[in-house]
Amino acid sequence: MKTTLATLTLCLVVLMATGFPLEKKGGSSSGSAAKEKRVQYAAWDDVNVIAHGLLQLGQGLKEHVDKTKVQMRDISTKLKVFNRTVTELGKESQKLRMEGEALKARAHGLEDREGQLLNVTAELREKAEEMHQERKTMSERMNRLEERVDSMLQRGAGLPDSNAGAKNSSDARNIQLMLEGQNKRIDDLMERIRLQQEKLDKQNVRIRTLQSQVQQTRQRTSLQSSQNDMQSSVAEQSDSPVEMASDCHELFMRGETTSGIYTIQPINAEPFKVFCEMKTDGGWTVIQRRQDGSVDFEQQWQAYEKGFGSLNGEFWLGLEKIHSISKDGNYILNIKLSDWSGDSEDVRLPFHLGGEETKYSLKIEKAEAFSPLETSLGTDATSGLPFSTSDQDNDLKNDINCAKHLSGGWWFSNCGRSNLNGRYFQSPPPKQRHQRKQSIFWKTWRGRYYPLKSSSMMIAPAAITNKS
C-alpha cells in the first residue's frame, strides 16, 4: 500500500511540473517589440491517468480508514467486556473474603464458648467427685450408726423402758432420710452434668461445621483468586494435560501420600471430588462416614443416588459415583466400626456394585466361608442385594419396607442384620428398643440394639490386599 501511494504521488508531481506553461525568451532586443511566446500543456491522457490514480488513492485510503475503525470498535468492545469481568470478579472475591472473615469470627466465638463450657464441665465434675466422696463418707457413717442402733436395740430389748428403743429408731430414720436426700442431690447433679455434656457435644458439632464452612470458603476464595489471575494475564496452556486418576489408589501410585480431598475421573464418567484415605498399603476412596450426627441420613432415593453431606465431615458419596469407580469389578469394600468404649473392628469383603438398572445391587464375591463378623452383610449379599430407601422398597422382606421401618437407606435383606446409614444417637442411647433398632448397628459385633459411635466405608482395587 505504501509503495503504491508513493508511486502515484511521484507521477502526480511530474505531470504537474510538465503541465504548467513554460516561457522561452529571445536573446536579442533589436528584433520585434514582442516575441512570440511558446506555451506547452500536459496531454489529456496524462490528466486522466492522474485523476484515475487519485481516485484509486482516495478509495484505498477510505477502505484503510474503515478497516481501522472496525478494528478499533472491536478492541474497545473487548476492553469493556474485560474491564466489566475483572470488576465483577473483584467484587465477588471481596464478598468471599468478607464471608470468610465473618465465619472466622463466628468460629473464634464458638471456640471461646467451648472453652467456657469445658471449664464449667470440669467444675461440675469436681463437684460431682466431692459429692461422691461425701456420699461415701455418709454411707460409712450410716453403717456405723446402724451398727450402734442394732447393738443398742439388742441391749435394750430386755429393758422395760421402750422409749429408748423408739428414740434410737427415730434417729436411725432421720439419718436414713438425710442420706436419701443426699443421694437425690447427687443424682440431680449427675443429670446436670449429663445435660451439660450433651450441650457441649452439640457445640462441638457446630464448631466443626463452621470450621468446615470456613475451609470451603477459603477454597472458593483461592479458586476465585486463581480465576482473576487467569483473566488479567495470559496463562500458558499445556499442549498435553495430565490425565486424571480413576480412583485414590491410582493417586497413591503417582506419589500422593497425604489423606484429603482430591478430584478423580473414572473411565467413561465425569470428574468429581472424593476423600482419599492414604494408608501404607495404598489409597482408599471413602464412600461413607458417620462420626457425630451432623448430617441427616434419613434421605430418599435420589439423594442416595447422587450423594450428600460434606467430604470433610459426614457424607454419603452417592451410588452413581461408587458404581462408576467399581463397575469393572475386582474391588474390596473395607468397613470400619467403633463403639462407645473405644473399641473398633474392620471388615473387608470383595464386592461388585451393579448399576441403576439393578437398583445398585451389592454382590459379595467371596469363595471361602464368612467369619461371624462378616455374616451381617456378606451372607445375604452373595446373590445380590438391591439398595432400598423409604420411597423405593427393594428389600427382601415382602410385608415391610425396611428403610421406612428402620431409618436411612441400605442394602436390606430382612431388616435385621446391619444398617450403617441409620439414625445417629449420642451416648447414652435411648431406653426404648424400638428407637435403638433405628440406629447404626452391626448385629454380629455389638448386637441388634447397640447404636455404634462411628462407621466408615471405603473401597480400593483388590490388588491392594494382595500387596499387603
Side-chain angles (χ1 to χ4, degrees):
M1 176 65 74
K2 289 182 179 180
T3 304
T4 304
L5 292 176
T7 304
L8 290 174
T9 304
L10 181 60
C11 292
L12 179 62
V13 171
V14 172
L15 291 174
M16 288 178 67
T18 60
F20 287 102
L22 299 176
E23 182 177 338
K24 291 186 179 181
K25 297 181 179 179
S28 175
S29 59
S30 61
S32 60
K35 296 290 184 179
E36 183 180 359
K37 296 179 181 179
R38 294 181 182 178
V39 181
Q40 293 181 356
Y41 295 95
W44 182 251
D45 292 339
D46 295 336
V47 173
N48 286 336
V49 170
I50 294 171
H52 184 67
L54 288 174
L55 287 174
Q56 287 183 344
L57 176 62
Q59 185 66 26
L61 288 172
K62 182 177 181 301
E63 291 177 357
H64 181 70
V65 170
D66 291 340
K67 289 180 181 179
T68 305
K69 286 182 179 179
V70 172
Q71 292 175 355
M72 292 296 293
R73 280 198 298 269
D74 292 341
I75 292 173
S76 177
T77 302
K78 291 179 180 179
L79 284 174
K80 289 180 181 179
V81 173
F82 178 77
N83 291 335
R84 191 183 308 114
T85 303
V86 171
T87 302
E88 292 175 354
L89 289 175
K91 291 180 180 179
E92 186 67 21
S93 178
Q94 181 68 21
K95 181 180 178 181
L96 290 173
R97 280 196 294 270
M98 294 175 64
E99 290 178 356
E101 292 174 358
L103 287 173
K104 286 181 184 177
R106 290 180 62 189
H108 287 317
L110 288 173
E111 287 176 357
D112 294 338
R113 291 179 61 185
E114 182 186 18
Q116 295 175 1
L117 288 172
L118 288 173
N119 293 334
V120 172
T121 303
E123 293 177 359
L124 289 174
R125 286 176 178 169
E126 291 178 358
K127 290 181 180 179
E129 291 177 359
E130 293 177 359
M131 295 294 291
H132 183 70
Q133 190 64 30
E134 291 181 4
R135 179 177 181 178
K136 185 177 179 181
T137 305
M138 291 293 293
S139 178
E140 293 176 354
R141 292 176 60 188
M142 183 62 186
N143 290 333
R144 290 197 298 269
L145 286 172
E146 286 179 350
E147 291 175 358
R148 290 177 58 188
V149 168
D150 290 339
S151 62
M152 291 173 65
L153 289 174
Q154 289 175 1
R155 288 197 303 268
L159 298 176
D161 188 3
S162 62
N163 291 331
K167 183 178 180 181
N168 291 333
S169 177
S170 177
D171 291 340
R173 179 61 180 167
N174 291 334
I175 293 172
Q176 186 176 3
L177 291 175
M178 289 175 58
L179 185 59
E180 290 176 354
Q182 192 75 359
N183 290 338
K184 189 175 184 303
R185 288 177 57 196
I186 292 174
D187 292 338
D188 292 341
L189 185 59
M190 294 300 293
E191 180 65 18
R192 288 177 58 192
I193 292 175
R194 187 186 66 80
L195 295 175
Q196 196 72 17
Q197 186 65 39
E198 289 181 357
K199 292 180 180 179
L200 184 60
D201 292 338
K202 291 180 180 178
Q203 199 75 5
N204 287 334
V205 171
R206 291 183 59 192
I207 289 173
R208 283 193 291 270
T209 303
L210 278 175
Q211 288 174 343
S212 175
Q213 292 176 358
V214 170
Q215 182 68 22
Q216 291 176 358
T217 303
R218 286 177 180 172
Q219 293 176 355
R220 288 172 57 195
T221 304
S222 175
L223 179 61
Q224 196 72 34
S225 177
S226 64
Q227 290 176 351
N228 291 342
D229 294 339
M230 291 175 63
Q231 290 288 341
S232 60
S233 63
V234 179
E236 295 183 358
Q237 300 294 332
S238 174
D239 294 335
S240 56
V242 178
E243 185 180 355
M244 285 189 183
S246 59
D247 61 9
C248 292
H249 186 59
E250 187 172 340
L251 286 170
F252 178 84
M253 298 300 292
R254 293 182 182 182
E256 298 289 349
T257 57
T258 304
S259 298
I261 298 175
Y262 295 87
T263 300
I264 64 172
Q265 185 176 15
I267 300 174
N268 298 327
E270 294 294 325
F272 53 87
K273 293 185 179 297
V274 295
F275 190 94
C276 294
E277 189 75 29
M278 301 301 187
K279 300 185 178 181
T280 56
D281 55 354
W284 292 81
T285 305
V286 182
I287 63 172
Q288 184 252 34
R289 186 189 295 131
R290 308 293 304 278
Q291 60 188 14
D292 52 27
S294 57
V295 174
D296 184 11
F297 273 64
E298 184 61 36
Q299 303 284 342
Q300 295 190 340
W301 179 266
Q302 187 175 5
Y304 272 100
E305 188 175 35
K306 302 298 181 184
F308 54 87
S310 170
L311 292 176
N312 289 312
E314 292 194 336
F315 69 93
W316 173 260
L317 184 61
L319 293 167
E320 276 186 357
K321 296 174 183 176
I322 301 171
H323 171 67
S324 68
I325 298 172
S326 62
K327 60 179 177 290
D328 294 332
N330 205 21
Y331 262 73
I332 296 293
L333 172 63
N334 184 13
I335 301 174
K336 185 172 183 179
L337 313 169
S338 65
D339 61 15
W340 294 94
S341 300
D343 296 329
S344 62
E345 194 66 60
D346 279 14
V347 181
R348 288 192 179 187
L349 295 168
F351 80 101
H352 173 76
L353 186 67
E356 182 182 8
E357 68 281 359
T358 69
K359 303 298 182 183
Y360 301 101
S361 178
L362 176 71
K363 185 175 182 180
I364 303 300
E365 301 170 333
K366 186 175 181 182
E368 62 271 18
F370 293 104
S371 68
L373 193 63
E374 295 170 340
T375 56
S376 287
L377 183 62
T379 302
D380 296 324
T382 52
S383 57
L385 274 180
F387 198 84
S388 291
T389 57
S390 58
D391 60 331
Q392 282 214 25
D393 183 10
N394 302 317
D395 57 62
L396 304 183
K397 202 165 183 65
N398 296 328
D399 54 343
I400 293 177
N401 182 338
C402 294
K404 188 178 293 185
H405 181 64
L406 301 178
S407 180
W410 189 248
W411 293 280
F412 293 109
S413 56
N414 61 353
C415 303
R417 291 183 180 270
S418 63
N419 180 15
L420 299 185
N421 291 333
R423 292 177 60 188
Y424 189 92
F425 290 110
Q426 300 282 352
S427 180
K431 296 180 180 179
Q432 291 78 11
R433 293 185 66 184
H434 74 276
Q435 289 182 334
R436 294 203 305 273
K437 72 180 180 181
Q438 296 178 347
S439 66
I440 308 169
F441 71 91
W442 193 267
K443 183 177 181 181
T444 55
W445 188 44
R446 287 292 179 262
R448 174 69 180 81
Y449 298 99
Y450 183 95
L452 298 177
K453 182 179 181 180
S454 66
S455 71
S456 64
M457 302 170 63
M458 56 192 76
I459 61 176
I464 201 172
T465 304
N466 298 334
K467 244 182 221 185
S468 60

